Structures are given as structure tokens and as C-alpha cells.
Amino acid sequence: MSKPGGRWYKSLFVQLLVAVVAGVLVGHFWPGLGADLKPVGDGFIRLIKMIIAPLIFCVVVTGIAAVGDLKSVGRIGLKAILYFEIVTTFALVFGLLIANVFRPGSGLDIDPATLDPNAVEKKTSGGQLPSIGDFLLHTIPDSVVNAFAENQLLQVLVFAVFFGLALAAIGRERAPLVLGFVDQVQQIIFKVMGWIMRVAPLGAFGAMAFIIGQYGISTLGTYAKLIAACYGAGLLFVLILAAISRFYAGVSIWRFLRYAREEFLLALGTASTESVMPRIMTKLTDAGCSRAATGLVVPTGYSFNLDGATIYLSICTVFLAQAFGVDMSLGQQLLAVGILMLTSKGMAGVPGSSFLALSATAAAIGAFPVAGVALLLGADRLMDSMRVFVNLLGNCVATFVVAKSEKQLDREKMLAALEKRAVRASLTDSESLKVPLTRLGTAPRPDDDA
């Protein structure tokens, strides 16, 4: 973000917007070149992933230490999980409703004999989604070192929670060096993030050029009704999130989107919410959410609160049935919701996870051939923008809701941030920590140096 009085072309938002448009043009007019630019986008994502695990650890540990109330930390986690379950279940049912009303697959009359039964397996590399038991067991690291080395974010989160709780139980006064060290590491990570963000427009350009070059704008016409249904459902769901945010947390979602416009544009340009996780956590804490709420809700939401993905899965399930001329019964649709509730929780980080989830659903309900999932191979990436935007916004709203419920949402700080008023950072938390070498929670914004 450009500083007040700075030139417009120094604005990160403007740079990202230009990069995304340039990527679309390159991918459309020179598709071969666009497809070859994939390493540029992937390189930027890898740079971001490099700092996510240590950042989550530092934010969670310092956040729990700042709260100091172990019961409060437990309530935050339970409220987040409960909220995620309610909202994602609603998103699944909402997607089914949209698909039944708009019927995006009607009239396609696909012949099952024309399908390639191996197409989905090639896309997913023969992988499979973990069972609920395996997924929950996998959240517990068998080695802390492996959790960080393999970038297993939920495992890092679990270890950070235990570490932070132990630090709070021992007492902040008895471990000032440990707390100070963690906070100083956090400041260093923010500095590194500021450097990485300088190449964010280049990453967005490469990612967008690859998507358009590889899949082509012409695909829009082939799947027009499906794409319209998914994006229309996403827009309506955003309005629902806006109502939740406004009437419960007192946060204007439109002002928040303006406040975090660089992060949302970068997520859209790279088709990845991970690319903005560090920055969106910073924005949420700057907007008044406590570090404990932000540190616990956002990383957990990346696996448990995939609102956009669940809407897409439910719509595509009905779309595929309609494409084969099958009207799913109410029982079959409810069964699909139940299956997707389970499979969607293990989707994060699994290659081709949406195809695996749809394949499992197709096999269970028997309404259409499992091989029919291959019909979505051409349109799946074109739905990324909807999924990424709704997933990211859903996690932001969840953070505000949970922080508000725990009285850990500083309303004055939130209004000051969203209204772009200059405000002196509160030192209440850092003073209570009594760590003279740090200013906990008042780290410089990563784009201050960008």
C-alpha cells in the first residue's frame, strides 16, 4: 500500500491489478508463454509458504501468552469449530438449493460411454482423501521438526497451542526471555514478509498467465451455466456473510474489503489463500481482533472453514446428476451433504481434492457414474476465484465473530483501521507482558517496507 501522498503507481493494489490484467492478456494471446510462466507464480507461493509455519507459531504463542486465560483459549477453539461446522453445513445446503433452482446441468445429456474412466485418476495422481480418524490423528505431529519442515500447518498450530498454554501456565514473568525471543522472531518474519511482498505482482502475473494460458477463456462458454451458478451462489453467500458480520460483530464487510483489498486481489491473482495468510492475519489484528483469536481461528479455518469450496462441491454434485439426466431424490441430496461434510474437512493440501470428494460422493449415492467427475476437469480452475474469495472472506468473518463473542474485538481499533484513521497502537498487552525489548502485537505492517 502506498503511503499518504505517495505516487499512485507505488500502490500494491494498483500493481497487483495491472499484473492480473497483464497475466490474462498474456495467457489469452500467447497461451504457450502463459503456460510456461507457471514457475513464476509457484515460486511466489513457495516464498510465502516458507514463512507461514513459523509465523503461525509465533502469533499463537504470543497471543495465548497475552490472554493468559487458559479457559478463554479453549473457548476460542471450541467456538471456532462450532461456527465452522454450522456455516459450512449451511453452505452445502445453500449450494444444493442454488443448483436445484438454476439447474446448470440440464440439457447436456452426457453419454457415459464417452467418458474416460482414468481421467480423474490422472488428475489426482491416484491419491485419496484421509478418513476422519486419519485426519484428526494427522493433526498431532509425530515430530515437531517434521511439522515445521513439511509445512503441516495444523500440526504446527497444535504444537503452538500446547507451547503457548504451557508458557501461560508457568507464568509470563518466569519466562520473559522465551517470550521475548518468540516476539523478536515474529518481528523478523514480518520484515521478511515485507521483502517477499515486493515481488507479489510478479507472482500474480505468472499465476494468472498460467491459468488462462493452460485452460483458456473459451472454456467459459462451455461451462457458462455452471460457472454462473457457482459465482452467483458465491455472491449471495457473501451477502449472508456480510449480514453476519454486520449484525453480530458490528463490522462492515464492505469497508473491510476495501481495507484488505490488496490481500483479496493477491489471493484472486494467485488462486491461493495461503499466499495471503500472513498478511490477512496482520490485517485482522490491526483491525482489532486479538492475537489469540486471529492465531487460532485463521489457520484452523484453512482446513475446517472452506465455505467457497463446499458451495462448489454441492453445486457440482447436482450439476453432474443433471448432466446425465438424473433427478436426485431428497434422500440422495441429504446423503451427499453428509458425505461432503466429512470429505471437505480433509481437502486442504490434498492434490485434486475436489475431484476426490466428488468421486467419493458419486460412489456413495450412485446417482451418476464416478467417471462423470471428469466433466469438471476443464472448468475446475475457472472456479478458483469464487472459492478463494469466499473461503478467505469466510475465515475473516469467523475471526471477527469469535473475537466478538470472547470480548476480544477492540471496536475503536477496528473502526480506526476500516476508516483509515491514524491511530496510535495500543500498548496495553505489551505493557502487561513486561517484556522491555518488544512491542508485542504492534509489529510494523508488512507493506510498510514494500
Side-chain angles (χ1 to χ4, degrees):
M1 188 187 306
S2 60
K3 294 180 175 62
R7 298 186 183 276
W8 62 269
Y9 56 80
K10 292 185 178 180
S11 165
L12 179 60
F13 179 77
V14 173
Q15 293 173 359
L16 287 170
L17 188 61
V18 171
V20 169
V21 172
V24 171
L25 294 175
V26 169
H28 178 60
F29 291 106
W30 299 280
L33 174 61
D36 290 338
L37 289 174
K38 185 176 186 295
V40 177
D42 289 349
F44 174 73
I45 300 296
R46 289 174 69 94
L47 284 173
I48 292 293
K49 286 184 175 181
M50 175 180 69
I51 63 173
I52 287 180
L55 178 65
I56 289 176
F57 175 79
C58 293
V59 170
V60 172
V61 170
T62 55
I64 292 175
V67 172
D69 183 356
L70 305 190
K71 291 183 179 179
S72 176
V73 174
R75 287 197 306 269
I76 290 174
L78 290 175
K79 287 179 179 180
I81 296 296
L82 179 61
Y83 176 88
F84 295 157
E85 287 302 316
I86 293 174
V87 174
T88 53
T89 301
F90 175 78
L92 286 170
V93 175
F94 182 74
L96 289 180
L97 177 63
I98 295 295
N100 280 282
V101 170
F102 291 98
R103 301 185 64 81
S106 296
L108 291 181
D109 298 323
I110 302 297
D111 181 2
T114 62
L115 301 174
D116 180 3
N118 298 317
V120 174
E121 186 174 355
K122 294 176 182 177
K123 175 69 175 180
T124 59
S125 302
Q128 60 181 3
L129 292 174
S131 66
I132 294 298
D134 290 339
F135 173 70
L136 294 177
L137 186 62
H138 188 65
T139 62
I140 304 173
D142 54 7
S143 166
V144 174
V145 175
N146 278 347
F148 280 90
E150 297 176 4
N151 219 31
Q152 298 291 335
L153 301 187
L154 279 180
Q155 294 185 2
V156 172
L157 177 62
V158 168
F159 174 67
V161 169
F162 277 106
F163 193 96
L165 291 174
L167 186 59
I170 291 174
R172 295 168 295 189
E173 294 80 6
R174 294 173 59 186
L177 293 179
V178 174
L179 191 56
F181 173 75
V182 173
D183 179 58
Q184 289 171 19
V185 171
Q186 180 176 288
Q187 309 306 317
I188 294 172
I189 292 172
F190 277 129
K191 176 65 70 173
V192 173
M193 183 166 62
W195 293 339
I196 293 174
M197 290 311 299
R198 294 183 179 181
V199 298
L202 185 61
F205 167 74
M208 186 57 66
F210 165 72
I211 292 173
I212 300 301
Q214 183 73 19
Y215 299 96
I217 295 179
S218 60
T219 312
L220 292 170
T222 307
Y223 296 93
K225 291 178 67 176
L226 175 61
I227 293 172
C230 287
Y231 277 85
L235 178 60
L236 292 174
F237 195 79
V238 166
L239 296 178
I240 295 171
L241 291 175
I244 295 173
S245 177
R246 179 64 180 176
F247 294 112
Y248 181 79
V251 179
S252 169
I253 209 68
W254 316 117
R255 288 185 177 179
F256 177 75
L257 288 174
R258 183 181 64 182
Y259 163 70
R261 60 187 182 275
E262 293 97 344
E263 288 71 30
F264 279 87
L265 183 57
L266 179 58
L268 290 173
T270 58
S272 169
T273 52
E274 282 191 339
S275 66
V276 297
M277 181 189 283
R279 282 178 59 95
I280 206 66
M281 291 175 71
T282 302
K283 282 290 181 74
L284 286 167
T285 53
D286 286 350
C289 295
S290 70
R291 293 188 302 281
T294 302
L296 290 171
V297 175
V298 174
T300 309
Y302 270 57
S303 291
F304 287 91
N305 192 40
L306 305 174
D307 298 335
T310 51
I311 290 173
Y312 168 74
L313 289 174
S314 58
I315 290 178
C316 286
T317 299
V318 179
F319 164 81
L320 290 172
Q322 293 170 351
F324 289 101
V326 176
D327 285 325
M328 294 174 62
S329 66
L330 178 60
Q332 287 176 316
Q333 295 195 33
L334 292 177
L335 177 60
V337 169
I339 295 170
L340 291 173
M341 282 177 60
L342 299 176
T343 55
S344 63
K345 298 300 181 291
M347 287 176 56
V350 179
S353 56
S354 60
F355 296 101
L356 292 171
L358 287 170
S359 297
T361 305
I365 63 178
F368 54 87
V370 175
V373 177
L375 292 174
L376 299 171
L377 289 172
D380 184 70
R381 288 304 296 265
L382 298 176
M383 242 69 79
D384 276 345
S385 295
M386 183 279 290
R387 289 181 298 207
V388 164
F389 185 88
V390 178
N391 286 348
L392 182 59
L393 184 61
N395 284 325
C396 292
V397 172
T399 306
F400 281 118
V401 168
V402 173
K404 169 71 173 180
S405 71
E406 282 294 300
K407 298 181 180 179
Q408 294 186 24
L409 176 61
D410 186 332
R411 182 166 178 79
E412 290 186 4
K413 191 175 180 182
M414 179 268 292
L415 291 174
L418 300 194
E419 295 175 6
K420 296 184 176 180
R421 292 203 309 260
V423 61
R424 186 176 66 88
S426 172
L427 296 179
T428 303
D429 287 344
S430 57
E431 288 171 351
S432 65
L433 289 175
K434 299 180 180 179
V435 182
L437 296 179
T438 62
R439 294 192 306 134
L440 202 55
T442 59
R445 285 274 302 283
D447 53 352
D448 285 347
D449 298 310

